[in-house]
Amino acid sequence: MAIDRFGRAIHYIRISVTDHCNLRCVYCMPEKMTFRPTEEMMSFDEIVTLTRLLTSLGFDKIRLTGGEPTVHPQIVEIVGAIAGMPGVNSVSLTTNGVLLNKLAEPLAKAGLQRVNISLDTLNPLEYRRITRRGRFEQVWAGILAAESAGLKPVKLNAVIVRNFNESSLVDLSRLTYEHPWQVRFIEMMPFGGATALQLDQVVKANEMRQVIQAALGPLELVNQGELDGEAQIYRLPGSQGQLGFIASVSVPFCASCSRARLTADGHLRLCLLRDKEVDLLTPLRAGASPAQLRQLILDGIWQKPWGHGLADGEYATDRIMSEIGG
Ligand code: SAM
Ligand code: SF4
């Protein structure tokens, strides 16, 4: 088991299988985005090798992400390879949902258990404005396809940005009356330089709840406030689904962090919002043995930073969200 110097057991890995994406969300990347060359990315075999090493060290919860993981030409094979590894308890995927209509069924058959689908608005024009190139209808079809393929419970992720999509708080919450989905509202993390969005466009979770309650009435806290992953869960009385609030900026959950990330270029990233990383791909390509790579991972995890400094205005500067995977 990989343990850090603060005694946290780190067993959840988010693997970015590509930095490429078919959308250009305003809070995630610039409109004219330059992606990295393929040879700098982990190959299929390298993803499998590094994941197997991680699972041998007790990483049992795996989330595949990107960029957009479904644009990877071998995403179904990657899921299949990871789902079959000894010690893996959960394999999930974070996706913008654009290609899910086609892929939900094969992914589920390959062993995928759950999906988180990013959807920031139910308004097709607003969707276009936020993603700069997506079509709302495709994502909606993807959500329904995920549900019928058994990728449940469906979780929808919505980043709320002031002056962009605040009305989504009420619109998306209403979905839970009819659907057993978990709609999760995420505080935007302003990323240094990558986007034009600013700290004053962050809508904090408290304010989000106030807006929802003003329109739809009191929310009920679920599980006495115990976090589900990083989300605090509520429900609207009488609804089938749940509402989650991810307050990364205003209420960091670093004390209970159990995760690390593997970037698409094969770096073990120890905290989403700190620049500290361990390059695993260069030694792997140079012929390092499994034992040497395991030691690099364990030493890196030991050095995992305590937490991020967003509340103090400290940002990671070296990578943007699409390169780390969220
Ligand atoms: N492309 C996939 C997607 O959009 O779901 C996976 C990668 S994306 C980087 C993972 C998550 O990060 C998405 O839910 C996205 O909304 C979120 N995200 C991206 N930029 C963000 C930001 N600046 N602040 C908060 N969340 C962000
Ligand atoms: Fe692509 Fe996801 Fe970033 Fe949107 S949030 S640009 S879908 S990686």
Side-chain angles (χ1 to χ4, degrees):
M1 173 71 76
I3 309 266
D4 76 2
R5 67 208 147 107
F6 305 104
R8 294 174 295 188
I10 311 301
H11 61 99
Y12 175 14
I13 188 84
R14 292 190 175 188
I15 302 172
S16 172
V17 296
T18 176
D19 72 334
H20 287 45
C21 189
N22 43 5
L23 302 182
R24 300 286 184 279
C25 302
V26 288
Y27 45 73
C28 181
M29 56 172 81
E31 187 158 17
K32 292 196 169 56
M33 178 70 187
T34 313
F35 297 109
R36 290 172 184 237
T38 312
E39 56 282 8
E40 286 181 21
M41 300 289 118
M42 295 183 286
S43 66
F44 173 84
D45 287 343
E46 288 164 343
I47 293 173
V48 170
T49 302
L50 290 178
T51 308
R52 192 168 284 124
L53 283 170
L54 287 158
T55 58
S56 74
L57 290 170
F59 283 84
D60 59 350
K61 190 173 167 191
I62 319 265
R63 173 171 294 278
L64 300 176
T65 173
E68 174 48 42
T70 60
V71 304
H72 192 295
Q74 289 165 292
I75 187 63
V76 174
E77 290 79 5
I78 293 172
V79 166
I82 293 176
M85 285 179 194
V88 171
N89 284 328
S90 129
V91 188
S92 57
L93 182 88
T94 302
T95 171
N96 60 31
V98 168
L99 299 175
L100 261 192
N101 192 20
K102 194 178 71 182
L103 282 172
E105 191 75 42
L107 285 168
K109 285 207 172 101
L112 189 72
Q113 287 156 298
R114 273 180 304 282
V115 274
N116 286 17
I117 303 168
S118 299
L119 180 64
D120 302 323
T121 173
L122 296 177
N123 175 332
L125 289 177
E126 201 168 75
Y127 183 79
R128 186 65 171 207
R129 183 172 167 233
I130 293 174
T131 62
R132 296 195 182 108
R133 51 181 68 182
R135 279 207 307 116
F136 168 79
E137 294 75 14
Q138 287 177 309
V139 183
W140 190 257
I143 295 170
L144 300 180
E147 195 170 39
S148 44
L151 299 171
K152 293 193 236 178
V154 167
K155 294 186 182 178
L156 302 184
N157 286 350
V159 177
I160 301 299
V161 185
R162 201 176 301 288
N163 302 330
F164 265 89
N165 65 336
E166 289 141 298
S167 56
S168 299
L169 286 165
V170 174
D171 296 349
L172 287 168
S173 295
R174 278 207 183 98
L175 283 181
T176 63
Y177 286 127
E178 306 265 307
H179 301 276
W181 300 341
Q182 190 184 92
V183 176
R184 297 153 24 119
F185 297 109
I186 302 176
E187 288 180 353
M188 179 187 67
M189 292 176 261
F191 263 69
T195 72
L197 303 176
Q198 306 297 329
L199 200 54
D200 61 8
Q201 287 179 271
V202 175
V203 182
K204 296 196 173 153
N206 249 338
E207 184 183 336
M208 297 183 195
R209 282 191 290 270
Q210 280 166 12
V211 171
I212 297 168
Q213 300 200 95
L216 303 175
L219 294 174
E220 293 169 356
L221 189 62
V222 173
N223 285 341
Q224 284 97 40
E226 201 179 300
L227 291 185
D228 174 14
E230 61 274 65
Q232 189 154 50
I233 307 299
Y234 291 77
R235 74 163 66 244
L236 287 162
S239 64
Q240 297 191 42
Q242 296 179 330
L243 302 178
F245 296 87
I246 303 185
S248 326
V249 179
S250 61
V251 193
F253 36 84
C254 306
S256 61
C257 184
S258 61
R259 72 191 63 169
R261 295 172 165 83
L262 186 62
T263 61
D265 58 348
H267 288 218
L268 186 67
R269 184 159 178 114
L270 302 162
C271 170
L272 172 64
L273 295 159
R274 296 277 186 198
D275 291 341
K276 209 172 171 57
E277 295 181 351
V278 179
D279 180 3
L280 298 176
L281 189 57
T282 305
L284 174 66
R285 288 183 178 175
S289 68
Q292 287 168 326
L293 289 163
R294 269 195 209 99
Q295 198 54 51
L296 277 176
I297 295 169
L298 289 175
D299 292 348
I301 294 293
W302 182 255
Q303 295 299 332
K304 181 174 157 69
W306 165 250
H308 67 71
L310 273 186
D312 306 320
E314 293 170 25
Y315 307 111
T317 50
D318 59 342
R319 290 186 191 263
I320 60 173
M321 201 65 148
S322 64
E323 294 175 321
I324 312 168

